[in-house]
């Protein structure tokens, strides 16, 4: 990018915004790509494409470490996923619809 690209967007009541098309094109962003924000001491914000590695959630990391220890200590509890396992999962989740684009409910603590 040889020339500076500047654009504006509006913050919604949920503190969300749409990344302007000019910025999406410049960063080659696609749906579900991650963004990285850097706030400099002077208040300037730098928006960039996030790396491929998502930041590690300490709760998830702890849970995965627990699972690893448990599986190593008790390998006899490991069972293969079978056709009936998947059939049971489908039965348990039948009728549940998920809309990944659905608006999130308002959080009381964000107000």
């Amino acid at each position: 990018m040889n020339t500076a690209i500047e654009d504006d967007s509006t913050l919604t009541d949920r503190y969300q915004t749409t990344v302007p098309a000019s910025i999406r094109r410049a960063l080659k962003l696609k749906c579900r790509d991650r963004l990285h924000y850097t706030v400099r001491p002077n208040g300037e914000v730098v928006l960039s494409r996030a790396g491929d590695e998502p930041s590690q959630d300490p709760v998830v990391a702890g849970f995965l470490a627990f699972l690893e220890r448990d599986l190593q200590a008790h390998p006899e509890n490991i069972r293969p996923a079978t056709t009936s396992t998947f059939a049971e999962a489908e039965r348990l989740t039948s009728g549940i619809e998920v809309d990944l684009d659905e608006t999130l409910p308002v959080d009381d603590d964000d107000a």
Side-chain angles (χ1 to χ4, degrees):
M1 245 182 295
N2 294 337
T3 60
I5 297 173
E6 293 185 25
D7 213 331
D8 297 317
S9 66
T10 302
L11 201 60
T12 69
D13 293 337
R14 294 268 308 140
Y15 301 100
Q16 297 172 338
T17 190
T18 299
V19 177
S22 61
I23 305 302
R24 291 193 311 265
R25 282 191 299 271
L27 295 177
K28 296 181 173 81
L29 294 172
K30 299 181 302 296
C31 289
R32 306 285 180 215
D33 279 351
R34 297 179 61 251
L35 302 174
H36 179 79
Y37 299 85
T38 304
V39 180
R40 296 187 174 160
N42 66 356
E44 184 178 61
V45 177
V46 178
L47 170 71
S48 57
R49 175 189 210 94
D52 290 336
E53 286 295 317
S55 60
Q56 196 170 35
D57 183 326
V59 174
V60 172
F63 179 68
L64 292 175
F66 161 77
L67 283 179
E68 180 181 17
R69 288 189 307 273
D70 188 63
L71 291 171
Q72 287 175 348
H74 304 286
E76 69 277 5
N77 292 333
I78 299 173
R79 303 282 189 271
T82 63
T83 305
S84 63
T85 306
F86 290 107
E88 179 66 3
E90 285 181 2
R91 185 189 70 75
L92 291 170
T93 57
S94 68
I96 298 174
E97 294 184 27
V98 177
D99 180 1
L100 296 177
D101 295 319
E102 182 178 356
T103 304
L104 298 173
V106 176
D107 293 336
D108 292 337
D109 55 346
D110 283 345

